[in-house]
Each structure stands twice: as C-alpha cells, then as structure tokens.
Amino acid sequence: MLAASRKWRGEGLALGLVPTMGALHAGHLSLVEQACRENSRVIVSIFVNPIQFGPGEDFERYPRDPERDGELLRTAGVHAVYRPSLAVMYPPGSTTRIHVAGVSEGLEGAARPVHFDGVATVVAKLLSAVEPDRAYFGQKDAQQVAVVKRLVRDLDLPVEIRVCPTVRESDGLALSSRNAYLKPDERRAAVCLSSALRQAAVAYAEGERDPERLRQTLRTRLEIEPLAHVEYAEVVDPRSFTPPGSLAVLAVRVGGTRLIDNHDLSKPFST
Ligand code: AMP
C-alpha cells in the first residue's frame, strides 16, 4: 500500500483514485473534479500500461507529457500523483493476467484481444496499491467500465466504482489523448462519430426501437465520411455488451487513428 494511502486511511479520510495514462485533457480533469468533490483526498495515477496495448498498437508513440500533467493536477488540487515505474508494476517474472470472461470478449475485446486483460490486471494492481474508497472512470470507455465493474464485483474488491459523463469538444468529438494524432482534415472528419450517435438518439426519441434500423442509422452516417473506416457500430446492453440494448457503441478509424465513442440512446445527445 502507498504510504500516503496508509496515512490518510489511518486518519479516516475518504480516498478517491483516478487512474489515467497521462496526456491529460478536460475529460480526465472532470474525473478529478468529481473525485475532489466526493473525497477528502484524491490520488491520480499516471501509467502508460504496456500490457493493454497489442502488438503494432501505439504504446511507443502514445503521447506523454509528465510536466504538463503535473502542473494540471497541482492546479486541480490533487493531493498525490502516483507514477509507478514499469519495474514496480511488472517486475521480471510477473505473468499473472486477469481475464474477465464474457463482457470483455466482444467489440473492443474482439478488436483488441489483449486489451481488457491488460486493463483488468492494471486496475486490480492500482486498487491494491492505493486502496481507495472510490475509483473514477469515464463513460467514454463504456466497455472498460463494464469490465471494471464486473472485476470489482467478482473479486469482492472493497471499492465503489464511479462513472463520469463523457466530455466533448463543442462540435461533439469526445476528448481523447489520441485526438492529438489527427491531421486537420481527419479532425474535421472525426465529427462523424458524435454525429452518428446524435442521429441514432434522435431516431430512438422518435420511437425507433428496431436494433437493425438503429444500427443502420449509425452506419449510414459514418459511411458517408470518406476518411472514416467503421470497425464496429452496434447497439448493445451496457452491462453485457451484447444486443439487445440501448447503448450505441462505435469504433472508427479516421485516417490512421482509431477512435471510440458511445451514447445511451434513451437519453438526448448533448455536447
Ligand atoms: P486514459 O488516460 O485514456 O486511460 O483515460 C483515463 C480515464 O479518463 C478513463 O477512465 C477514461 O474513460 C476517462 N476519459 C477519457 N476521455 C474522457 C472523456 N472525454 N470524458 C470523460 N472521461 C474520459
């Protein structure tokens, strides 16, 4: 357990953890703000977790800016930043991986086969190091939320998982550290994800419930964008990540950049 956690828990202070991979933006900071409202002490972890990246993915070029991150977190009033080294997280010979069967296997899990084992393993390790009362995750990564909630439930981990709404640019694009990869024409094209979600939410509000037609509404909007290549566009249940349901989930390549987004169609889409 971290010394800071031990001290604060000993003093009976409520402790919040916000796990991140750094390159912080307003989406991360919204998690931090909520954590600061709900806890007396907040720890933000920054660790670019190699085991959640597959071969050929962007682990090496993932944006890293430790100084700027530190400055943003100081300004936000965070009480401690935990930046574990690779050697601390995965010492030689550490081979254990957590596999959350079922919910981690479709969609993102199918497209990125090692991803959720890496996420579940690192989240379990961070929770074990920090022992927070609450841990904060973004709805932006909806399947990650489902995987983490199942992990916590199945392993009886004593932590409350708090989920924060997706923060978007004014045109609807969900904030993501990977948006930094987008060239100007790709950035313009990337609005197709939020635009597709908005159109499907309008169709749902007008009474459309046919899963295939909702799916088609998403695809039609995405496919008119020449720079976009759809990996998946589905409407699923938010807990099981299988149809039927009302959560629209998208993964789209825009140029060389893979973007994901989602929206609960039973709610109006707003930026
Ligand atoms: P990452 O650094 O990408 O691993 O993200 C750390 C946390 O921030 C995760 O729980 C994400 O879901 C969350 N997050 C990332 N982007 C956003 C966003 N645009 N709005 C809200 N939360 C976000």
Side-chain angles (χ1 to χ4, degrees):
M1 193 187 190
L2 294 185
S5 293
R6 187 175 303 114
K7 176 171 182 292
W8 293 330
R9 291 192 68 91
E11 293 168 1
L13 299 174
L15 182 55
L17 168 68
V18 183
T20 80
M21 298 204 299
L24 301 178
H25 51 64
H28 298 112
L29 296 177
S30 75
L31 272 57
V32 169
E33 280 159 23
Q34 187 169 335
C36 288
R37 281 197 299 275
E38 296 179 352
N39 301 275
S40 306
R41 294 291 181 270
V42 171
I43 298 183
V44 174
S45 64
I46 299 181
F47 180 64
V48 185
N49 177 34
I51 68 166
Q52 73 185 65
F53 291 78
E57 291 188 359
D58 56 345
F59 173 67
E60 280 82 14
R61 74 174 184 128
Y62 194 83
R64 292 164 171 86
D65 197 342
E67 275 174 27
R68 182 172 171 276
D69 288 349
E71 197 52 51
L72 286 170
L73 294 176
R74 259 191 301 282
T75 308
V78 161
H79 303 89
V81 181
Y82 178 43
R83 303 173 190 264
S85 68
L86 206 54
V88 161
M89 291 304 267
Y90 305 114
S94 86
T95 53
T96 301
R97 296 290 181 268
I98 298 180
H99 180 69
V100 182
V103 65
S104 79
E105 289 167 358
L107 300 168
E108 277 302 280
R112 307 182 66 191
V114 301
H115 178 64
F116 285 125
D117 289 6
V119 167
T121 304
V122 80
V123 168
K125 288 179 68 80
L126 292 169
L127 292 174
S128 151
V130 175
E131 292 194 24
D133 298 283
R134 302 184 185 87
Y136 293 79
F137 293 86
Q139 176 62 25
K140 159 77 169 38
D141 297 281
Q143 197 170 357
Q144 170 169 284
V145 165
V147 169
V148 168
K149 282 185 167 173
R150 186 70 62 86
L151 164 79
V152 162
R153 190 196 73 179
D154 289 355
L155 297 185
D156 311 310
L157 302 179
V159 63
E160 182 187 349
I161 300 303
R162 305 286 288 148
V163 183
C164 307
T166 302
V167 177
R168 299 177 179 280
E169 302 279 8
S170 56
D171 68 353
L173 178 67
L175 297 191
S176 162
S177 307
R178 290 190 169 98
N179 293 350
Y181 300 150
L182 297 168
K183 301 190 186 91
D185 56 338
E186 295 168 348
R187 171 62 189 82
R188 282 189 292 276
V191 79
C192 69
L193 283 89
S194 55
S195 168
L197 294 170
R198 184 182 289 110
Q199 289 186 7
V202 168
Y204 194 97
E206 288 169 352
E208 184 60 84
R209 294 292 182 277
D210 181 72
E212 190 46 44
R213 279 208 287 274
L214 288 168
R215 217 172 139 256
Q216 212 43 58
T217 303
L218 294 168
R219 284 180 177 269
T220 304
R221 173 61 186 92
L222 295 169
E223 283 165 5
I224 57 172
E225 177 47 65
L227 291 180
H229 168 79
V230 184
E231 272 192 18
Y232 61 75
E234 302 290 340
V235 185
V236 298
D237 176 87
R239 280 164 299 276
S240 67
F241 265 76
T242 54
S246 65
L247 185 71
V249 285
L250 309 176
V252 178
R253 269 185 201 285
V254 179
T257 302
R258 185 172 185 282
L259 300 175
I260 61 169
D261 201 350
N262 68 87
H263 180 68
D264 177 351
L265 299 181
S266 67
K267 297 180 180 149
F269 186 93
S270 56
T271 54

PDB file of all heavy atoms in Angstrom, residues 6 10 14 27 95 102 138 148 157 166 175 186 192 200 222 225 264:
ATOM      1  N   ARG A   6      -1.850   4.919   3.295  1.00  0.00           N
ATOM      2  CA  ARG A   6      -1.869   4.361   4.656  1.00  0.00           C
ATOM      3  C   ARG A   6      -2.152   5.478   5.653  1.00  0.00           C
ATOM      4  O   ARG A   6      -2.975   5.349   6.557  1.00  0.00           O
ATOM      5  CB  ARG A   6      -0.532   3.660   4.962  1.00  0.00           C
ATOM      6  CG  ARG A   6      -0.561   2.924   6.294  1.00  0.00           C
ATOM      7  CD  ARG A   6       0.689   2.121   6.585  1.00  0.00           C
ATOM      8  NE  ARG A   6       0.992   1.144   5.564  1.00  0.00           N
ATOM      9  CZ  ARG A   6       2.072   1.183   4.763  1.00  0.00           C
ATOM     10  NH1 ARG A   6       2.952   2.158   4.885  1.00  0.00           N
ATOM     11  NH2 ARG A   6       2.283   0.258   3.859  1.00  0.00           N
ATOM     12  N   GLY A  10      -5.523   5.901   7.707  1.00  0.00           N
ATOM     13  CA  GLY A  10      -5.355   5.872   9.169  1.00  0.00           C
ATOM     14  C   GLY A  10      -6.072   7.048   9.821  1.00  0.00           C
ATOM     15  O   GLY A  10      -6.573   6.939  10.953  1.00  0.00           O
ATOM     16  N   ALA A  14     -11.691   9.943   3.477  1.00  0.00           N
ATOM     17  CA  ALA A  14     -12.174   9.236   2.279  1.00  0.00           C
ATOM     18  C   ALA A  14     -11.201   9.495   1.131  1.00  0.00           C
ATOM     19  O   ALA A  14     -10.780  10.622   0.884  1.00  0.00           O
ATOM     20  CB  ALA A  14     -13.566   9.723   1.912  1.00  0.00           C
ATOM     21  N   GLY A  27     -11.348  15.886 -20.154  1.00  0.00           N
ATOM     22  CA  GLY A  27     -12.092  14.678 -19.775  1.00  0.00           C
ATOM     23  C   GLY A  27     -11.522  14.089 -18.490  1.00  0.00           C
ATOM     24  O   GLY A  27     -12.254  13.799 -17.531  1.00  0.00           O
ATOM     25  N   THR A  95       3.692 -12.807 -14.397  1.00  0.00           N
ATOM     26  CA  THR A  95       2.998 -13.382 -15.552  1.00  0.00           C
ATOM     27  C   THR A  95       1.480 -13.449 -15.357  1.00  0.00           C
ATOM     28  O   THR A  95       0.764 -13.868 -16.255  1.00  0.00           O
ATOM     29  CB  THR A  95       3.508 -14.819 -15.815  1.00  0.00           C
ATOM     30  OG1 THR A  95       3.402 -15.549 -14.591  1.00  0.00           O
ATOM     31  CG2 THR A  95       4.943 -14.819 -16.291  1.00  0.00           C
ATOM     32  N   GLY A 102     -16.573 -13.072 -20.879  1.00  0.00           N
ATOM     33  CA  GLY A 102     -17.878 -12.582 -21.320  1.00  0.00           C
ATOM     34  C   GLY A 102     -17.801 -11.129 -21.744  1.00  0.00           C
ATOM     35  O   GLY A 102     -17.489 -10.812 -22.899  1.00  0.00           O
ATOM     36  N   GLY A 138     -14.300   7.003 -16.873  1.00  0.00           N
ATOM     37  CA  GLY A 138     -15.111   7.773 -17.800  1.00  0.00           C
ATOM     38  C   GLY A 138     -16.047   6.884 -18.609  1.00  0.00           C
ATOM     39  O   GLY A 138     -15.647   5.807 -19.070  1.00  0.00           O
ATOM     40  N   VAL A 148     -14.538  -3.294 -15.556  1.00  0.00           N
ATOM     41  CA  VAL A 148     -14.042  -2.955 -14.221  1.00  0.00           C
ATOM     42  C   VAL A 148     -15.117  -3.235 -13.163  1.00  0.00           C
ATOM     43  O   VAL A 148     -14.816  -3.761 -12.086  1.00  0.00           O
ATOM     44  CB  VAL A 148     -13.575  -1.476 -14.183  1.00  0.00           C
ATOM     45  CG1 VAL A 148     -13.337  -1.010 -12.754  1.00  0.00           C
ATOM     46  CG2 VAL A 148     -12.318  -1.294 -15.025  1.00  0.00           C
ATOM     47  N   LEU A 157     -13.862  -6.688  -4.446  1.00  0.00           N
ATOM     48  CA  LEU A 157     -12.906  -5.627  -4.099  1.00  0.00           C
ATOM     49  C   LEU A 157     -13.654  -4.503  -3.375  1.00  0.00           C
ATOM     50  O   LEU A 157     -14.727  -4.087  -3.819  1.00  0.00           O
ATOM     51  CB  LEU A 157     -12.215  -5.098  -5.360  1.00  0.00           C
ATOM     52  CG  LEU A 157     -11.454  -6.153  -6.174  1.00  0.00           C
ATOM     53  CD1 LEU A 157     -10.821  -5.530  -7.417  1.00  0.00           C
ATOM     54  CD2 LEU A 157     -10.389  -6.827  -5.329  1.00  0.00           C
ATOM     55  N   THR A 166     -19.097  11.648 -20.477  1.00  0.00           N
ATOM     56  CA  THR A 166     -18.088  11.943 -21.500  1.00  0.00           C
ATOM     57  C   THR A 166     -18.014  13.450 -21.751  1.00  0.00           C
ATOM     58  O   THR A 166     -19.035  14.093 -21.982  1.00  0.00           O
ATOM     59  CB  THR A 166     -18.460  11.219 -22.812  1.00  0.00           C
ATOM     60  OG1 THR A 166     -18.533   9.822 -22.534  1.00  0.00           O
ATOM     61  CG2 THR A 166     -17.436  11.488 -23.907  1.00  0.00           C
ATOM     62  N   LEU A 175     -13.386  14.037 -26.129  1.00  0.00           N
ATOM     63  CA  LEU A 175     -11.969  14.288 -25.861  1.00  0.00           C
ATOM     64  C   LEU A 175     -11.243  12.955 -25.682  1.00  0.00           C
ATOM     65  O   LEU A 175     -11.771  12.034 -25.071  1.00  0.00           O
ATOM     66  CB  LEU A 175     -11.799  15.128 -24.594  1.00  0.00           C
ATOM     67  CG  LEU A 175     -12.373  16.532 -24.595  1.00  0.00           C
ATOM     68  CD1 LEU A 175     -11.869  17.298 -23.369  1.00  0.00           C
ATOM     69  CD2 LEU A 175     -12.019  17.294 -25.847  1.00  0.00           C
ATOM     70  N   GLU A 186      -8.573  15.089 -40.917  1.00  0.00           N
ATOM     71  CA  GLU A 186      -9.083  13.964 -40.119  1.00  0.00           C
ATOM     72  C   GLU A 186      -9.873  14.482 -38.910  1.00  0.00           C
ATOM     73  O   GLU A 186     -10.893  13.906 -38.534  1.00  0.00           O
ATOM     74  CB  GLU A 186      -7.923  13.083 -39.649  1.00  0.00           C
ATOM     75  CG  GLU A 186      -7.204  12.407 -40.800  1.00  0.00           C
ATOM     76  CD  GLU A 186      -5.872  11.770 -40.381  1.00  0.00           C
ATOM     77  OE1 GLU A 186      -5.384  12.045 -39.254  1.00  0.00           O
ATOM     78  OE2 GLU A 186      -5.321  11.026 -41.205  1.00  0.00           O
ATOM     79  N   CYS A 192     -17.878  12.701 -37.378  1.00  0.00           N
ATOM     80  CA  CYS A 192     -18.880  11.716 -37.821  1.00  0.00           C
ATOM     81  C   CYS A 192     -19.289  10.771 -36.688  1.00  0.00           C
ATOM     82  O   CYS A 192     -20.425  10.276 -36.689  1.00  0.00           O
ATOM     83  CB  CYS A 192     -18.403  10.936 -39.054  1.00  0.00           C
ATOM     84  SG  CYS A 192     -17.038   9.806 -38.759  1.00  0.00           S
ATOM     85  N   ALA A 200     -28.757   8.678 -34.216  1.00  0.00           N
ATOM     86  CA  ALA A 200     -29.404   7.466 -33.678  1.00  0.00           C
ATOM     87  C   ALA A 200     -30.256   7.813 -32.452  1.00  0.00           C
ATOM     88  O   ALA A 200     -31.336   7.243 -32.256  1.00  0.00           O
ATOM     89  CB  ALA A 200     -28.353   6.421 -33.329  1.00  0.00           C
ATOM     90  N   LEU A 222     -21.813   7.221 -40.693  1.00  0.00           N
ATOM     91  CA  LEU A 222     -20.354   7.020 -40.674  1.00  0.00           C
ATOM     92  C   LEU A 222     -19.822   6.778 -42.084  1.00  0.00           C
ATOM     93  O   LEU A 222     -18.743   7.260 -42.452  1.00  0.00           O
ATOM     94  CB  LEU A 222     -19.992   5.832 -39.767  1.00  0.00           C
ATOM     95  CG  LEU A 222     -20.319   6.027 -38.282  1.00  0.00           C
ATOM     96  CD1 LEU A 222     -20.188   4.708 -37.526  1.00  0.00           C
ATOM     97  CD2 LEU A 222     -19.411   7.097 -37.666  1.00  0.00           C
ATOM     98  N   GLU A 225     -18.624   9.432 -44.693  1.00  0.00           N
ATOM     99  CA  GLU A 225     -17.371  10.159 -44.444  1.00  0.00           C
ATOM    100  C   GLU A 225     -16.209   9.381 -45.086  1.00  0.00           C
ATOM    101  O   GLU A 225     -15.842   8.311 -44.610  1.00  0.00           O
ATOM    102  CB  GLU A 225     -17.173  10.282 -42.917  1.00  0.00           C
ATOM    103  CG  GLU A 225     -15.885  10.939 -42.520  1.00  0.00           C
ATOM    104  CD  GLU A 225     -15.614  12.200 -43.292  1.00  0.00           C
ATOM    105  OE1 GLU A 225     -16.370  13.159 -43.141  1.00  0.00           O
ATOM    106  OE2 GLU A 225     -14.634  12.220 -44.077  1.00  0.00           O
ATOM    107  N   ASP A 264     -25.903   6.388 -24.700  1.00  0.00           N
ATOM    108  CA  ASP A 264     -27.140   5.701 -24.329  1.00  0.00           C
ATOM    109  C   ASP A 264     -28.281   6.372 -25.084  1.00  0.00           C
ATOM    110  O   ASP A 264     -28.634   7.522 -24.798  1.00  0.00           O
ATOM    111  CB  ASP A 264     -27.326   5.824 -22.802  1.00  0.00           C
ATOM    112  CG  ASP A 264     -28.638   5.204 -22.342  1.00  0.00           C
ATOM    113  OD1 ASP A 264     -29.474   4.835 -23.198  1.00  0.00           O
ATOM    114  OD2 ASP A 264     -28.824   5.099 -21.114  1.00  0.00           O
TER     115      ASP A 264
END
